Amino acid sequence: MNLRGSSSIPKMAEEISKSELRSSAAATSTPSSSTTAKSRWSWPSVLRWIPTSNNHIIAAEKRLLSIIKTPYVQEQVNIGSSPPGSKIRWFRSSSDEPRFINTVTFDSKEDSPTLIMVHGYGASQGFFFRNFDALASRFRVIAVDQLGCGGSSRPDFTCKSTEETEAWFIDSFEEWRKAKNLSNFILLGHSLGGYVAAKYALKHPEHVQHLILVGPAGFSAQSDAKSEWITKFRATWKGAILNHLWESNFTPQKIIRGLGPWGPDLVRKYTNARFGAYSSGSVLTTEESSLLTDYVYHTLAAKASGELCLKYIFSFGAFARMPLLHSAPEWKVPTTFIYGFEDWMNYQGAQEARKHMKVPCEIIRVPQVYISIMSLYPSINMSIHL
């Protein structure tokens, strides 16, 4: 779940030209010359399906991160096929094959504090690409794709409860941490990633030095007084339809897949709307927009897996089924909250949580309409005093 209306695709801004579609298709698939000639003869470019896979995602990620000046290492970290000591494979999977977490680690100065970045819903670590150079000047930055997202393994999603769904993310992250032999790190989570980071810190506080939650989801519950509007809306025919779609686990990614050849066009409009006209700071360059569109398309169009978590963690309206606010008295890690002045996520949940926390807690509100995940560094820099 990402800021700017994260549980649905926001308004879009610009069309992909036919030439961009051709170049994207050429960059992401390599059919034989005879097949290519035949397909070009048979189908107009606008009707060609653009295939995707984990390899396509990693290739698109590499092209996007080629913009970054700081050297980095990309790796697939093996987290095994099941939790240690358990006879049950990862979340009732029908396969015993090992799972991998896609990880990018940036070069840093010696003894730099470690900052681990966890993305939000419908996103992946590449969404942070404009932050990496600035953050790497002060931190040892490690960005991950959560299990079932981005370039990580995408097991069949078999979770049937909120507890199982939280374990999907928390336990796989812990196995990743063990494999990387990390501890005493700063953990940053954005939106749904903030929810996961907070839940992880509650379960494994001994490994987290400081928690940074950027527009975190999951602090409010449907029982809150301010949720009355959703109850009234659900009683309308429009609300009933949307609630049914939510409970049926209909995701925005399914729209991208269903559109087939027109999927990249919608993604282009999405990236330009989200990181263009409505963003703060400098808008994407033509090159950035093209590379990000290609990357986002492949991460959204790939096999459904982690995206199916939504209905189990949140009820319709993005209200947490197990709100973080209820866990505030158990908080054991110093925490910084970062929100935009008119953030889609309400900062008042953090204010209420702070009243019950027994650890240092700071709330930073950035004087912009929304927090842009493209420009987090200034807020992060002033939120940690090491």
Side-chain angles (χ1 to χ4, degrees), residues 275-293:
F275 305 118
Y278 301 104
S279 68
S280 58
S282 59
V283 298
L284 297 177
T285 65
T286 301
E287 180 186 20
E288 288 174 331
S289 179
S290 177
L291 293 173
L292 183 61
T293 294

Side-chain angles (χ1 to χ4, degrees), residues 17-205:
S17 66
K18 293 183 180 180
S19 61
E20 286 175 321
L21 268 173
R22 294 191 190 98
S23 62
S24 177
T28 54
S29 62
T30 55
S32 66
S33 58
S34 60
T35 302
T36 303
K38 183 177 180 181
S39 63
R40 285 179 177 171
W41 177 262
S42 304
W43 294 96
S45 61
V46 74
L47 295 180
R48 286 188 213 130
W49 287 69
I50 298 178
T52 191
S53 66
N54 185 269
N55 288 337
H56 285 96
I57 294 171
I58 299 302
E61 172 187 283
K62 184 176 181 180
R63 290 191 292 272
L64 177 64
L65 297 186
S66 68
I67 299 174
I68 308 303
K69 297 178 181 179
T70 307
Y72 70 91
V73 174
Q74 182 272 334
E75 60 182 324
Q76 293 283 347
V77 178
N78 190 335
I79 62 171
S81 59
S82 62
S86 172
K87 295 181 180 179
I88 302 175
R89 302 187 185 100
W90 277 117
F91 316 110
R92 300 189 303 201
S93 172
S94 60
S95 170
D96 60 357
E97 64 184 31
R99 310 302 183 186
F100 298 88
I101 297 296
N102 185 41
T103 306
V104 175
T105 304
F106 292 86
D107 287 0
S108 60
K109 298 176 183 178
E110 190 174 355
D111 298 327
S112 295
T114 298
L115 172 67
I116 300 175
M117 304 181 74
V118 183
H119 61 82
Y121 181 78
S124 41
Q125 53 86 7
F127 275 60
F128 293 119
F129 78 95
R130 274 193 169 183
N131 294 280
F132 289 144
D133 279 332
L135 290 172
S137 68
R138 184 177 177 191
F139 304 100
R140 178 195 178 200
V141 177
I142 305 176
V144 299
D145 287 336
Q146 299 191 70
L147 183 66
C149 306
S152 292
S153 296
R154 294 180 177 241
D156 293 337
F157 190 85
T158 56
C159 300
K160 301 298 181 183
S161 68
T162 301
E163 291 81 3
E164 284 186 355
T165 303
E166 289 184 354
W168 168 285
F169 295 109
I170 296 170
D171 292 352
S172 59
F173 184 86
E174 171 61 5
E175 291 310 302
W176 171 86
R177 183 204 65 78
K178 291 178 183 177
K180 292 289 290 180
N181 192 29
L182 295 168
S183 193
N184 195 36
F185 50 79
I186 301 161
L187 182 59
L188 180 150
H190 171 245
S191 202
L192 175 63
Y195 179 89
V196 172
K199 290 283 185 173
Y200 176 84
L202 283 164
K203 188 174 182 179
H204 301 285

